[in-house]
Amino acid sequence: MAERLEAAPAAGDEYTQDGTGDLHGNPVLRSKRGGWKACGFVVVYEVFERMAFYGISSNLVLYLTTKLRQGVVPSANNVTNWVGTIWMTPVIGAYVADAHLGRYRTFMAASVVYLCGMILLTLAVSLPALRPPKCGAGTPDHPNCTHEATSAQLGVFFLGLYILAVGTGGTKPNISTIGADQFDDSHPRERRHKLSFFNWWMFSIFFGTLFANTVLVYIQDNVGWSVGYALPTLGLAVSIAIFTAGTPFYRHKPTSGSPFAKMARVIVGAARKWAVAAPVDPRDLHELDDEHYAKMKAARLPHTPNLAVLSKAAVKTGGGGAQAASWWSLSTVTQVEETKQMLKMLPVLAITFVPSAMIAQINTLFVKQGTTLDRHVGPHFEIPPASLQGFVTISMLVSVVLYDRAFMPLARRATGNPRGISLLQRMGVGLVIHIAIMGIASVTERHRLAVAREHGVSDSRGGTTIPLTIFVLLPQFVLMGVADAFLEVAKIEFFYDQAPEGMKSLGTSYAMTSLGVGNFLSSALLSTVSRVTRRQGRAGWVLNNLNASRLDKYYAFFVVLNCANLLVFFVVCRLYVYNAEVARVVDVGSGGAAGAGGGEENKKREVALQPANVGAVESTL
């Protein structure tokens, strides 16, 4: 990856140099705002937000099957469709933040909507009129369990879920970006801190996930759903208050216009000039002068040869030159390069859809498998099936720490890369682990079904426990956490790092879009496989009775799918060109010692990589 050229900070470098300011756009002192002090408020919010989100999603499939009395396939699809929506709405939130309200104001408005959704969900599981009557000691398959949820009850519950999804659309793409904005890339020390930010960001927020997957799901299963939903709702309210209290310490990036309009302008301009020949010298392309970018506190991007057809949007045509050109026919080189940076990440985004579909199995089919197994620990305690998700969290926490403190320093010395290995290499390791996960899941499920047949419970419709400990599922949960430490952390850092400065929120939303599409893909695969395997009178792979299902074949199908996806990933990596890093930096200055009278005043300068140095082709994995 191309490295940033930077000088040591000047002695008078009190103010940030990356364009950040206060909410009104005024310059801010580096010592007063930003850094880890500001990130503390951001991280605390995210801990409680994850507690709220996973407090709902981790056990949602059980609430739908045991309380609202839906089948396995409909309930799993309802979970993945909702989670998919959760991760797709951030594209809208990123647009609003980058183009109109800014990240902070978008986040604050969306957090109120999020809280309203949580309150409605808490009411839906608490008020008797909003849930079906109890069926006694039965399960959804119990013959006496005929009280299904009414359309009104389902409507209120799903309304709460999707109000929550709208709220997360404005919070998720902006909260991590707000945190990253607290570090100035032009300052060497802050830049080093930023390299570790996403590792520790993931480490911190998964404490909330761990609490949700252990304490909250236990409360929901054994104390009551009302208390299990009220606690994360209260926690979210407190975290919003804590985030708001940190307002005086935050640095803010100004809005930079609609990223979609900028990209559309470049694409339309290039299409209109499809037949126009581009100049041999890229300096003949349209670009604004340095004063414009200095005034905007932005860096001008140099021309790159990749996706050359888009460069035609910056070709000056007609006698009137740039002045006579319409807004939709002429773009600057910087606008063209920003569009290139966003578009060239799309193949990388596409190869993350399949592993995101694998992640969706954690809180759907993996949890339902756990309900069939022996969950006793000691004579009196039963592990809630969803609590095994806590091992994903623990595994990831340990893996992130080991990666940041042990692996990264060793790899850095071997490769010379500040990150140890490149972001795509880190993602590739995660993809390989996903193949191992689904292979182990398939073998484990085959063993579970064999034990069920051996003890004559294959035809049991929910009342009989298979005499096999739930911890047989542990390896697939633990490995999922290790995979997340590689793939998910690298994914969010990659899309943030490779997005242009004015489109960071949109870049971050790519990582969330990956999870959204992955969940919708999971729904489509589950419905299709369930339908296809039940044709011509066959039993099918996925039934309400998991003991008569063939999830082992379903997971083996996922192994094949992941292998094919990995081959595509190799091709994408060979073709991907990293961005050159361009930033405003501070020069040291030279001259005599202080007090000698001959010293020169420290000067600011902008360092940009030349086109010949732009990008480095990632050729190894």
Side-chain angles (χ1 to χ4, degrees), residues 309-377:
V309 67
L310 293 178
S311 297
K312 293 186 178 183
V315 175
K316 291 177 281 190
T317 58
Q323 298 298 326
S326 72
W327 194 85
W328 287 98
S329 65
L330 185 64
S331 302
T332 65
V333 171
T334 294
Q335 290 167 343
V336 170
E337 293 304 320
E338 288 177 338
T339 302
K340 288 181 181 180
Q341 290 179 10
M342 295 305 297
L343 293 181
K344 74 179 183 178
M345 289 192 294
L346 293 180
V348 179
L349 173 63
I351 56 91
T352 64
F353 294 158
V354 170
S356 293
M358 303 305 103
I359 294 173
Q361 311 312 308
I362 296 175
N363 54 6
T364 53
L365 295 181
F366 284 9
V367 172
K368 287 299 294 181
Q369 282 177 281
T371 62
T372 69
L373 299 171
D374 181 8
R375 297 181 280 119
H376 285 91
V377 177

Side-chain angles (χ1 to χ4, degrees), residues 330-562:
L330 185 64
S331 302
T332 65
V333 171
T334 294
Q335 290 167 343
V336 170
E337 293 304 320
E338 288 177 338
T339 302
K340 288 181 181 180
Q341 290 179 10
M342 295 305 297
L343 293 181
K344 74 179 183 178
M345 289 192 294
L346 293 180
V348 179
L349 173 63
I351 56 91
T352 64
F353 294 158
V354 170
S356 293
M358 303 305 103
I359 294 173
Q361 311 312 308
I362 296 175
N363 54 6
T364 53
L365 295 181
F366 284 9
V367 172
K368 287 299 294 181
Q369 282 177 281
T371 62
T372 69
L373 299 171
D374 181 8
R375 297 181 280 119
H376 285 91
V377 177
H380 305 295
F381 182 76
E382 276 194 350
I383 298 176
S387 286
L388 284 188
Q389 297 176 62
F391 288 97
V392 178
T393 304
I394 295 171
S395 173
M396 182 176 181
L397 294 179
V398 174
S399 298
V400 166
V401 173
L402 291 176
Y403 186 93
D404 191 80
R405 293 305 183 188
F407 176 78
M408 187 185 293
L410 292 174
R412 185 184 295 129
R413 286 196 291 269
T415 65
N417 189 319
R419 291 185 171 91
I421 58 176
S422 73
L423 293 173
L424 287 177
Q425 287 172 331
R426 187 172 180 177
M427 291 171 66
V429 174
L431 293 178
V432 172
I433 297 174
H434 270 286
I435 296 174
I437 291 169
M438 300 318 298
I440 291 172
S442 179
V443 172
T444 301
E445 175 63 8
R446 184 181 292 271
H447 176 57
R448 188 189 72 84
L449 293 174
V451 174
R453 288 192 298 269
E454 180 183 343
H455 290 82
V457 295
S458 294
D459 295 329
S460 171
R461 296 185 57 81
T464 304
T465 299
I466 297 175
L468 183 66
T469 176
I470 192 174
F471 290 112
V472 73
L473 301 177
L474 195 57
Q476 61 205 56
F477 282 93
V478 171
L479 279 179
M480 191 67 77
V482 178
D484 284 351
F486 282 90
L487 179 58
E488 296 306 307
V489 176
K491 186 169 67 177
I492 190 171
E493 186 175 357
F494 175 85
F495 290 124
Y496 176 88
D497 179 78
Q498 294 293 290
E501 190 60 40
M503 301 181 183
K504 292 295 187 186
S505 291
L506 180 60
T508 303
S509 74
Y510 273 21
M512 299 168 190
T513 300
S514 165
L515 293 170
V517 174
N519 274 273
F520 288 127
L521 177 61
S522 175
S523 294
L525 289 172
L526 182 60
S527 296
T528 302
V529 170
S530 176
R531 182 177 63 255
V532 169
T533 56
R534 296 178 71 174
R535 288 177 179 173
Q536 298 178 350
R538 289 175 293 184
W541 287 2
V542 187
L543 308 172
N544 288 342
N545 178 12
L546 290 189
N547 295 340
S549 300
R550 292 307 305 267
L551 288 184
D552 57 325
K553 293 183 177 180
Y554 187 53
Y555 293 155
F557 164 69
F558 280 159
V559 172
V560 176
L561 190 61
N562 276 284

